[in-house]
Amino acid sequence: MAFPEPRPTKPELPRKSVRSLPCRQGAVRAVRFNVDGRYCLTCGSDKSLCLWSPLRGTLLRTYGGHGAEVLDAAGSFDNSRLCSGGSDRAVLFWDVASGQILRKFRGHAAKVNCVQFNEEATVIVSGSIDSSVRCWDCRSRRPDPVQILDEAKDGISSIKLSDHEILAGSVDGRSRRYDLRMGELYADYVGSPITCVCFSKDGQCTLISSLDSSLRLLDKDTGELLGEYTGHKNHKYKLDCCLSERDTHVVSASEDGNVYFWDLVEGTLALTLPVSRGVVQSLAFHPTEPCLLTASEGSVHCWREESFVAEDELPA
Amino acid sequence: MAARGSDSEDDLVTYGTGLEPLEEGERPKKPLPIQDQTVRDEKGRYKRFHGAFSGGFSAGYFNTVGSKEGWTPSTFISSRQNRAEKAVLGPEDFMDEEDLSEFGIAPKAIVTTDDFASKTKDRIREKARQLAAAAAPIPGATVLDDLIAPAKLSIGFELLRKMGWKEGQGVGPRVKRKPRRQKPVPGVKIYGCALPPNGSEGSEEDDDDYLPDNVTFAPKDITPVDFTPKDNVHGLAYRGLDPQKALFGISGEHFNLFSDVSEGTSNLLGSIRPNKGRRLGISGQAFGVGALEEEDDDIYATEALSKYDTILKDEEPGDGLYGWTAPKQYKSRTGSEKDTQYVGKILDGFSLASKPLSSKEIYPPPELPKDYRPVHYFRPVVTATSENSHLCQALSESTGKILSDMSKQSRYQLNASKRGEMLGETPIQDSTTSILEFLSQKDKERINEMKRATEIKAAEIKGKALVPKAWNSRFQPDSPDDSPYTQQMVLSGDVTAGRSSDFRPFAKDPEKQKRYEKYLGNIKKGQKDALESCLDPRMTEWERGRERDEFVRAAVLYRPSSSSLSSRFTHAKQEDDTDQVEVPRDQENDVNDKLSAVKMKMFGKLTRDKFEWHPEKLLCKRFNIPDPYPASTIVGLPKVKHDKYSVFNFLTIAEPTTLTTTQVSNERAQQNHSRNKPRKPSRWDIPDQEQKKEDCISEFLSMARSKAEIQKQQLRPLVNNAEGSAVESSSAKVENESVDQKNEEDSRPSMDLFKAIFASSSDEKSSSSEEDESENEDNQADPGGSDPASPKPSDLVETSSDIQVSALVVNEPVPPVTLQKMQLDEREEFGPRLPPVFCPNARQKHEPVPQSSFLEGHPKEKPKKSKEKRKTKKDHKHKKEKKRKHKKHKQKGKQKNKKTEKSSSSESVDSSDSQSDSEVKDISPQELLRRYGILLYSADIEMEPAGRMDSRP
């Protein structure tokens, strides 16, 4: 005897700014949730990397060690390690608790745009403007990368990892998906420099944002276009895009200071969230809840759904 | 603690017993020295503890039998005072007192033994027992106790008694008196004591001769006495070394003396029977006894009857040899029939072999010919190639006689195929391969020439026609001279190079051969299912299985030889001809097709490329994924030959600069992409985006616009050329700003503008401007001649000095917008850039930290190339950066505000917070100028230039 499934509730979009993090890091180049969404990392252009509790707005720790601005960071699955990459061409491997640099991977010829851990945090995959993706081993003391994926013809702007895939978006207009299990490489051409790539939560689609002010949702297996999302402005900058927590909406930052939400299936613009006057550079969507972090002009805002009530309402 | 003071005394927790307070004047007691801290027993003797493993407390005097005075036997009594009284010593004299105590081994106290203890004496206990039995859960449980009484006699005694044995009798069946046994032959030695099996005649004999027949006697209970005199030099109880025991560790009790005598022979060394399931190995004393040690008695050995000799006379070996070493005397029992057939004499100790010996045939040595000289001269083996043909020639000449002889005999000239021919075999059709087939036509001709020359020579000099014939036969290209060796060579060639002409083990069946080749190819690629994938699915299971085996065998068979051969050669480091450099399979050449597909939104197959990609093994391990190509050694994309990345590649590309339209240059740029190494960062977005967004019309428009702007620019002084000048004319600045803003208002014209003007010259430069001077010269020539928006020739003068400058100088006459863009791009990197830094928080909180850090971070951001570029024209840079700042003003209102605050200027309020991008555009030139003045004093604060991402030429 099965109970009828509860009617699926309409997904709520984060519309309410509940908190803004006083970063004071210069421009915040990237904001990233940790694996369970309880913490977030902000990468500042003042070479610092900060760990926050975004809902409380408390700064937990500052990690200093980069020689130039930090461009991307990621946390390991067990929250014990961090990795970050920056303009100093180094990929750093941090211990969260002690704040010490465990490893410093050098080898990129230019600034490192993006870093990711693999599922077990044994490999750091970094993409750089030198058009190479490098896989660094965290287990051994090996100074050189395990493998260099230099198929891209131009800088790597974004990298995402699944359990057996490496998805790398490049400025040469291709997103390359390296399937380790199959031993194959799939390159999808979108014609315009890619700024951000994402896997959908179900692992069936890839979301690709490019500099022609459009986002495309491609089928992972065939490369067919499932949806195209336009309306925002993205011509110059490397902006982030993401999918909402239940893959219902496509979210993208924009150069006009708004964050755009599209319905994933219908492709219609669902919400335009004014965030700031400047460019919204980075986005991070909570893995399970309708919670969005935006980084623009050196400040990070935390957005929740309308019905959200914080435990302790404090003026942000 | 001391810091706490006395008030915390009550909090103190003390452990142990405190020392007694010293009385006044008393000296503290000396601690007992360690040697005095001894344990003594009740009599005051030392109890020195040895440790658990060395025996506990010591015995005697420090484990000796002596005393403090030394060893004095207790029997010693000074003869002066009193004579020895006690002469006889009992065991007690050697025992300790403790042994005689109640719990010692010989208690002295008088105890009633069991024999005398009356069973009913303890009435009270008996009563209690009965009561307990009644109250017990099982009534009558004590009955068992009553029934089971401790046996006083061993069960053996009881049994013997039951059988009629009486004490004092011997054990065994009753016997009649027998005639007295003969004494053993003096030659027979008995070692050990032997129990006579039936009776105890031996030495005890009855004197009576007459005995009635029906009277039997119990055997006498005697121990037999061996009267055999010892006449050897062995020690008492000597036993010869038991081979089984000595060699195999089988204890001697298994040495079956009771077995048949003929079997006994097999107990000797020759026929150990391990199949009896006995454990071989070390047994008995652990690990044996060293050579210098004496073997201890085997205290655990059990006495067994089988250990003793039981037969005295007849079957004992009577050969007079002692111990086992003498083989048992041959007994003709089992092999009697064989022996009778044997006519020869059989030696003692030998028996006839069961199997006849296979006799070896001996052949007489061959008879030597009369003129045989037992000296051999080795001739060097020279494989004839075109190079050493002279050597061959000389050799053949020197050995001409022999060769001719041989060719006459023609036996040594034969190879497998010839022999096969002679035997009437059909030659293999397919194998027409020989080395000569791989030679080019030229080489063949050369060889033929050589051949002819040698023929002539040989004919001339030696006059023997046979030599060249032999030569000929060796190098005839069409002769079926395909020994297996050449085939191997061919195979190796095919394995390494993947040529089509290879060794074909299944040549008869072309289908099968095809499948086999596919299989080989799969193996080379390292596919896991190499075998399965290439088999014909239409075949039956059995056929497939057989073919699988065949393929595997063939692959294994021909791999080692080929690898051994190929190991002699190294791969070419580089391709011979650069034209055939393989473009990586990520084809850039059909990017236009893809672009059109993208435009039509036909994503899918048209836009997708799929490649085989080999991940590193370690990466698979780290990802917890089985290696998709376990046997492959390739990492990354296979078959992507890295082309030679050199300056010349760029030179050749950059040379044709006469084309002016952006389309053409775009195409060329794409070619550039395709030829360049993928690692090289290059212009990435211009062609694509432009093609997508702009049509030709817009390009024309932009061209026209740019021309107009050029004209405008020419009116004003070329401020940008002024090197090292910190201050520029304000009017130019204003104009810069205004132009800039104008450009901002257009969606993005400046890029196209720039492209339109400098398509030919600067497009290539973006990729290669650092390297080659020659290209710069090209560029210098180009703008004057072919560029539609040709720069002023006067500017070219500057370029001769500096390469790097030249690139810019070409651009000098351009409207300042493009100039600025170029400068921006010097420090800009490739790819979508990051938004400019705003720091509203910092401004509000008056926190200058981010700003200062920007200053530090700034120079590091630049890629190396741009750094070099900058170095060459530092002066330019200074000026240009200022200009850049101008450009940023729109987006940097807040920063500027901060600056203005610092510099205590008052009027920047209006532009501060309320400014948006659109508002900025409306700023008046005066305002901009003012800001510029302010910014002159501020350091370069820009984190990121706000120029367009695609403006890099």
Side-chain angles (χ1 to χ4, degrees):
Chain A
M1 158 147 185
F3 289 104
E5 287 208 357
R7 179 184 289 271
T9 54
K10 195 170 179 237
E12 280 187 291
L13 292 177
R15 300 162 186 268
K16 188 170 70 169
S17 172
V18 295
R19 183 85 55 188
S20 98
L21 307 180
C23 285
R24 299 180 208 174
Q25 285 180 287
V28 176
R29 292 307 183 192
V31 58
R32 301 280 179 252
F33 268 115
N34 78 327
V35 68
D36 59 355
R38 286 175 61 200
Y39 307 103
C40 75
L41 291 161
T42 57
C43 308
S45 58
D46 68 340
K47 313 175 201 173
S48 71
L49 174 69
C50 289
L51 179 67
W52 301 82
S53 176
L55 282 175
R56 288 186 196 152
T58 51
L59 174 63
L60 302 176
R61 186 153 201 139
T62 302
Y63 300 91
H66 268 290
E69 61 175 345
V70 188
L71 292 180
D72 196 7
S76 69
F77 72 102
D78 55 354
N79 291 332
S80 68
R81 301 279 188 266
L82 299 178
C83 64
S84 64
S87 290
D88 57 352
R89 300 178 299 220
V91 176
L92 264 56
F93 181 44
W94 304 84
D95 184 58
V96 170
S98 67
Q100 289 192 325
I101 300 172
L102 300 175
R103 305 286 311 278
K104 200 164 190 172
F105 300 107
R106 296 202 158 273
H108 276 299
K111 68 179 185 183
V112 179
N113 263 340
C114 40
V115 290
Q116 284 288 315
F117 271 119
N118 73 335
E119 235 182 16
E120 297 185 343
T122 52
V123 174
I124 296 173
V125 181
S126 64
S128 162
I129 214 162
D130 68 356
S131 79
S132 71
V133 175
R134 284 165 201 249
C135 307
W136 309 93
D137 191 3
C138 301
R139 286 271 178 88
S140 64
R141 286 247 151 227
R142 194 170 148 174
D144 50 330
V146 175
Q147 189 169 8
I148 302 174
L149 319 176
D150 54 358
E151 280 76 31
K153 304 289 183 297
D154 210 329
I156 305 291
S157 55
S158 176
I159 279 185
K160 289 291 180 325
L161 260 69
S162 74
D163 59 341
H164 65 285
E165 292 159 314
I166 301 172
L167 181 67
S170 170
V171 181
D172 65 359
R174 289 166 198 273
S175 83
R176 292 176 176 78
R177 185 165 61 87
Y178 301 86
D179 193 328
L180 273 80
R181 190 170 286 160
M182 302 295 295
E184 272 164 353
L185 160 62
Y186 305 93
D188 287 318
Y189 185 69
V190 297
S192 179
I194 292 174
T195 58
C196 189
V197 289
C198 284
F199 279 116
S200 62
K201 299 262 186 318
D202 60 354
Q204 300 292 316
C205 314
T206 55
L207 180 70
I208 299 172
S209 76
S210 56
L211 277 187
D212 54 354
S213 293
S214 63
L215 285 90
R216 293 183 179 88
L217 188 72
L218 300 184
D219 187 276
K220 198 181 80 173
D221 293 327
T222 61
E224 283 161 7
L225 185 68
L226 299 177
E228 192 164 19
Y229 311 96
T230 54
H232 66 300
K233 187 180 167 211
N234 186 6
H235 291 305
K236 303 180 201 170
Y237 301 130
K238 176 189 170 316
L239 304 181
D240 281 351
C241 65
C242 57
L243 287 155
S244 65
E245 85 278 6
R246 280 191 282 162
D247 278 349
T248 54
H249 286 79
V250 171
V251 189
S252 173
S254 172
E255 288 166 20
D256 56 7
N258 296 330
V259 172
Y260 288 80
F261 291 77
W262 294 270
D263 190 283
L264 182 132
V265 179
E266 296 164 14
T268 55
L269 192 64
L271 173 66
T272 306
L273 184 69
V275 171
S276 78
R277 283 181 297 276
V279 177
V280 182
Q281 184 180 357
S282 186
L283 284 180
F285 213 97
H286 196 282
T288 52
E289 290 169 34
C291 173
L292 180 75
L293 290 180
T294 61
S296 66
E297 300 184 342
S299 64
V300 171
H301 296 277
C302 179
W303 305 80
R304 292 302 302 250
E305 69 273 19
E306 290 287 353
S307 57
F308 175 76
V309 179
E311 306 91 62
D312 46 349
E313 277 297 346
L314 284 174
Chain B
M1 276 298 144
R4 284 256 201 104
S6 58
D7 52 349
S8 62
E9 255 176 54
D10 46 351
D11 296 336
L12 274 177
V13 179
T14 54
Y15 294 100
T17 52
L19 293 172
E20 298 208 359
L22 289 176
E23 281 173 42
E24 253 180 293
E26 193 189 3
R27 299 178 65 190
K29 268 187 213 165
K30 270 189 188 171
L32 211 61
I34 286 176
Q35 64 267 19
D36 294 340
Q37 296 177 3
T38 52
V39 182
R40 291 165 192 263
D41 61 3
E42 63 275 11
K43 287 182 182 171
R45 292 177 307 187
Y46 283 117
K47 282 187 99 174
R48 208 152 54 85
F49 192 65
H50 282 235
F53 294 104
S54 49
F57 286 101
S58 65
Y61 182 79
F62 290 99
N63 280 345
T64 66
V65 290
S67 63
K68 202 177 179 182
E69 288 79 30
W71 184 70
T72 48
S74 61
T75 52
F76 174 76
I77 294 156
S78 171
S79 58
R80 284 234 179 134
Q81 276 80 32
N82 36 5
R83 300 285 168 187
E85 290 164 358
K86 230 169 43 171
V88 181
L89 290 173
E92 289 81 8
D93 291 321
F94 302 100
M95 289 163 72
D96 289 336
E97 287 94 317
E98 291 93 342
D99 297 336
L100 304 176
S101 69
E102 190 181 356
F103 303 106
I105 53 174
K108 285 278 176 177
I110 295 170
V111 182
T112 319
T113 60
D114 278 352
D115 295 335
F116 299 101
S118 88
K119 293 245 163 90
T120 57
K121 188 180 68 180
D122 202 352
R123 281 206 194 115
I124 305 165
R125 193 184 286 174
E126 201 73 15
K127 259 251 164 67
R129 234 177 53 159
Q130 281 171 6
L131 276 172
I138 305 169
T142 52
V143 176
L144 204 61
D145 293 342
D146 297 335
L147 285 178
I148 301 170
K152 292 287 187 305
L153 289 172
S154 72
I155 189 71
F157 271 90
E158 298 281 357
L159 281 172
L160 283 171
R161 272 185 186 160
K162 291 257 168 70
M163 291 163 72
W165 174 78
K166 293 189 189 75
E167 222 137 349
Q169 285 181 350
V171 179
R174 301 178 72 85
V175 291
K176 288 183 180 177
R177 292 283 170 190
K178 264 193 193 166
R180 150 200 235 201
R181 283 195 79 186
Q182 279 186 343
K183 280 279 206 179
V185 189
V188 177
K189 303 295 179 291
I190 304 165
Y191 303 109
C193 42
L195 261 183
N198 45 359
S200 58
E201 294 91 307
S203 51
E204 296 257 326
E205 292 143 36
D206 270 3
D207 295 331
D208 324 294
D209 284 331
Y210 168 73
L211 283 170
D213 276 354
N214 54 350
V215 176
T216 57
F217 296 90
K220 288 192 174 174
D221 187 19
I222 45 123
T223 51
V225 182
D226 187 12
F227 288 105
T228 313
K230 173 175 158 53
D231 56 356
N232 55 26
V233 292
H234 297 306
L236 278 179
Y238 167 79
R239 263 167 58 193
L241 187 62
D242 188 345
Q244 280 181 323
K245 197 173 187 176
L247 293 178
F248 300 100
I250 297 164
S251 58
E253 65 196 26
H254 298 298
F255 195 89
N256 195 359
L257 283 174
F258 296 109
S259 65
D260 198 25
V261 181
S262 67
E263 219 177 304
T265 55
S266 67
N267 276 339
L268 293 178
L269 191 58
S271 58
I272 300 298
R273 289 155 299 176
N275 54 352
K276 279 203 168 173
R278 285 177 191 147
R279 265 190 314 120
L280 298 182
I282 296 164
S283 67
Q285 293 167 2
F287 313 123
V289 177
L292 300 174
E293 294 174 274
E294 227 175 299
E295 192 173 351
D296 291 339
D297 293 327
D298 190 5
I299 53 170
Y300 300 108
T302 50
E303 293 290 313
L305 201 64
S306 59
K307 277 187 174 178
Y308 300 93
D309 294 332
T310 51
I311 297 154
L312 287 182
K313 190 186 164 192
D314 291 332
E315 287 127 327
E316 280 296 313
D319 52 2
L321 296 172
Y322 310 111
W324 65 277
T325 44
K328 297 251 171 160
Q329 202 174 11
Y330 170 71
K331 302 289 185 208
S332 58
R333 232 188 248 178
T334 52
S336 57
E337 13 174 345
K338 237 187 266 171
D339 297 343
T340 52
Q341 288 162 6
Y342 183 64
V343 286
K345 194 190 172 190
I346 297 174
L347 288 173
D348 276 356
F350 289 89
S351 66
L352 268 183
S354 57
K355 271 191 280 182
L357 243 164
S358 61
S359 62
K360 274 182 193 161
E361 261 186 88
I362 299 167
Y363 300 98
E367 284 186 19
L368 292 176
K370 272 179 192 172
D371 54 349
Y372 174 72
R373 282 185 307 150
V375 182
H376 181 68
Y377 296 104
F378 289 97
R379 299 207 167 271
V381 178
V382 178
T383 53
T385 60
S386 57
E387 282 88 5
N388 59 7
S389 62
H390 288 294
L391 185 58
C392 285
Q393 169 72 15
L395 263 176
S396 64
E397 279 168 16
S398 71
T399 62
K401 193 162 171 282
I402 300 165
L403 268 179
S404 62
D405 289 346
M406 274 172 14
S407 56
K408 266 176 209 159
Q409 295 166 8
S410 83
R411 188 180 137 199
Y412 301 103
Q413 289 293 306
L414 286 178
N415 54 27
S417 62
K418 277 186 179 175
R419 279 194 293 272
E421 213 174 295
M422 291 169 80
L423 289 170
E425 290 172 358
T426 54
I428 300 165
Q429 297 299 328
D430 186 62
S431 53
T432 56
T433 49
S434 99
I435 296 175
L436 288 185
E437 286 198 355
F438 298 111
L439 295 177
S440 65
Q441 193 59 35
K442 233 172 154 185
D443 291 335
K444 273 185 196 168
E445 281 172 10
R446 264 177 60 205
I447 287 179
N448 281 334
E449 267 181 35
M450 205 71 86
K451 200 167 61 186
R452 240 174 287 134
T454 53
E455 277 175 31
I456 293 162
K457 232 184 191 172
E460 274 178 353
I461 298 171
K462 290 286 172 184
K464 296 196 177 184
L466 286 167
V467 175
K469 194 180 170 190
W471 170 260
N472 214 352
S473 68
R474 281 166 77 183
F475 292 96
Q476 195 66 254
D478 292 328
S479 70
D481 197 2
D482 40 5
S483 62
Y485 183 70
T486 52
Q487 287 173 347
Q488 303 281 3
M489 260 178 86
V490 171
L491 180 70
S492 80
D494 112 83
V495 165
T496 51
R499 214 101 42 75
S500 60
S501 65
D502 53 352
F503 181 74
R504 294 158 181 275
F506 309 107
K508 271 180 270 180
D509 187 353
E511 285 282 313
K512 197 173 179 182
Q513 176 67 29
K514 212 178 284 172
R515 287 198 295 271
Y516 176 66
E517 278 163 18
K518 193 178 164 196
Y519 164 65
L520 282 184
N522 285 352
I523 277 187
K524 222 181 348 161
K525 275 186 263 173
Q527 288 179 8
K528 255 189 292 187
D529 54 345
L531 202 53
E532 302 304 322
S533 64
C534 59
L535 292 181
D536 193 351
R538 285 166 300 178
M539 289 194 299
T540 62
E541 193 66 33
W542 182 79
E543 279 175 323
R544 246 180 300 176
R546 215 175 55 145
E547 196 164 289
R548 205 176 294 144
D549 288 348
E550 280 176 350
F551 282 3
V552 169
R553 226 178 300 132
V556 167
L557 209 61
Y558 292 109
R559 198 184 298 149
S561 60
S562 65
S563 66
S564 69
L565 204 64
S566 64
S567 68
R568 299 184 171 206
F569 302 97
T570 57
H571 289 282
K573 286 274 189 273
Q574 286 183 337
E575 289 290 307
D576 285 341
D577 43 357
T578 49
D579 294 339
Q580 288 185 353
V581 160
E582 214 174 294
V583 178
R585 286 193 292 177
D586 195 356
Q587 293 133 355
E588 285 284 333
N589 47 9
D590 66 337
V591 84
N592 283 326
D593 302 341
K594 288 201 174 115
L595 199 60
S596 52
V598 166
K599 270 181 191 164
M600 293 190 292
K601 298 195 189 309
M602 289 170 66
F603 286 89
K605 277 181 184 163
L606 290 176
T607 57
R608 164 158 283 206
D609 294 314
K610 185 177 158 189
F611 309 105
E612 187 181 317
W613 175 73
H614 294 242
E616 175 85 16
K617 287 189 171 40
L618 183 62
L619 197 64
C620 291
K621 205 172 144 191
R622 293 280 184 263
F623 272 77
N624 273 335
I625 282 169
D627 195 345
Y629 307 101
S632 111
T633 54
I634 314 168
V635 172
L637 290 182
K639 284 176 192 165
V640 172
K641 287 180 187 166
H642 285 284
D643 50 350
K644 293 201 280 185
Y645 174 61
S646 69
V647 176
F648 302 104
N649 280 348
F650 287 93
L651 285 180
T652 53
I653 293 158
E655 267 161 12
T657 50
T658 50
L659 299 170
T660 52
T661 64
T662 51
Q663 288 288 359
V664 174
S665 65
N666 284 343
E667 280 168 18
R668 222 181 306 135
Q670 280 162 16
Q671 283 169 12
N672 251 347
H673 279 301
S674 65
R675 298 216 189 144
N676 290 351
K677 256 196 159 179
R679 299 218 30 191
K680 172 134 191 341
S682 56
R683 261 159 325 168
W684 38 278
D685 55 341
I686 300 161
D688 300 340
Q689 203 172 7
E690 201 172 328
Q691 278 185 348
K692 195 179 298 169
K693 292 189 61 187
E694 313 274 339
D695 295 333
C696 291
I697 300 166
S698 65
E699 280 162 20
F700 276 116
L701 276 175
S702 63
M703 271 172 70
R705 199 184 300 137
S706 66
K707 275 177 187 167
E709 298 227 341
I710 287 164
Q711 286 166 5
K712 203 164 83 181
Q713 287 299 313
Q714 282 168 352
L715 294 177
R716 64 182 183 88
L718 287 163
V719 282
N720 298 332
N721 284 344
E723 293 192 5
S725 68
V727 185
E728 295 178 26
S729 75
S730 62
S731 66
K733 285 295 148 194
V734 174
E735 205 165 284
N736 273 354
E737 278 302 320
S738 60
V739 169
D740 200 13
Q741 284 168 20
K742 218 187 287 172
N743 280 322
E744 278 299 311
E745 282 155 16
D746 306 343
S747 66
R748 296 160 29 79
S750 66
M751 186 55 235
D752 312 321
L753 192 87
F754 183 76
K755 283 294 293 184
I757 299 168
F758 297 104
S760 55
S761 61
S762 58
D763 217 16
E764 286 82 8
K765 203 158 294 173
S766 70
S767 56
S768 58
S769 61
E770 313 95 356
E771 291 118 39
D772 39 356
E773 284 187 49
S774 60
E775 199 195 347
N776 277 319
E777 276 147 23
D778 282 342
N779 290 327
Q780 284 173 23
D782 282 338
S786 59
D787 238 347
S790 62
K792 282 160 77 176
S794 62
D795 292 327
L796 293 177
V797 181
E798 270 187 45
T799 67
S800 58
S801 62
D802 198 337
I803 312 154
Q804 306 297 344
V805 171
S806 72
L808 279 175
V809 166
V810 172
N811 303 330
E812 288 282 33
V814 189
V817 183
T818 54
L819 187 62
Q820 283 169 8
K821 297 234 178 282
M822 281 218 48
Q823 290 146 8
L824 294 176
D825 286 329
E826 286 164 26
R827 34 172 324 197
E828 188 47 48
E829 286 146 350
F830 318 97
R833 64 189 44 148
L834 300 162
V837 177
F838 290 81
C839 272
N841 291 338
R843 179 183 57 79
Q844 284 156 10
K845 279 145 192 162
H846 300 279
E847 194 176 11
V849 178
Q851 298 294 344
S852 62
S853 65
F854 292 164
L855 293 178
E856 294 162 20
H858 171 247
K860 275 206 174 177
E861 298 165 13
K862 273 160 288 182
K864 250 185 227 167
K865 287 173 205 162
S866 63
K867 236 185 231 171
E868 289 167 8
K869 226 177 187 176
R870 283 185 67 178
K871 220 190 293 169
T872 56
K873 34 167 192 165
K874 272 176 207 156
D875 305 339
H876 279 286
K877 196 191 71 186
H878 196 64
K879 182 183 64 184
K880 284 159 199 163
E881 276 173 0
K882 278 178 237 150
K883 282 187 210 154
R884 205 184 307 141
K885 271 166 226 151
H886 275 262
K887 217 195 148 211
K888 290 294 163 40
H889 278 209
K890 298 142 279 177
Q891 287 156 345
K892 287 212 181 162
K894 285 154 196 172
Q895 278 186 352
K896 254 177 273 155
N897 281 333
K898 195 180 157 195
K899 294 278 149 41
T900 53
E901 280 175 22
K902 275 184 192 167
S903 57
S904 72
S905 72
S906 60
E907 65 271 75
S908 70
V909 187
D910 54 340
S911 66
S912 63
D913 287 336
S914 61
Q915 267 185 347
S916 67
D917 282 356
S918 57
E919 282 168 352
V920 176
K921 286 168 190 165
D922 300 327
I923 298 169
S924 67
Q926 283 78 16
E927 163 76 8
L928 289 169
L929 187 60
R930 182 188 52 76
R931 284 189 198 163
Y932 173 67
I934 292 157
L935 282 174
L936 269 184
Y937 301 104
S938 68
D940 182 11
I941 55 161
E942 284 180 14
M943 176 66 235
E944 288 287 331
R948 297 196 158 60
M949 48 174 287
D950 51 355
S951 64
R952 186 182 170 82

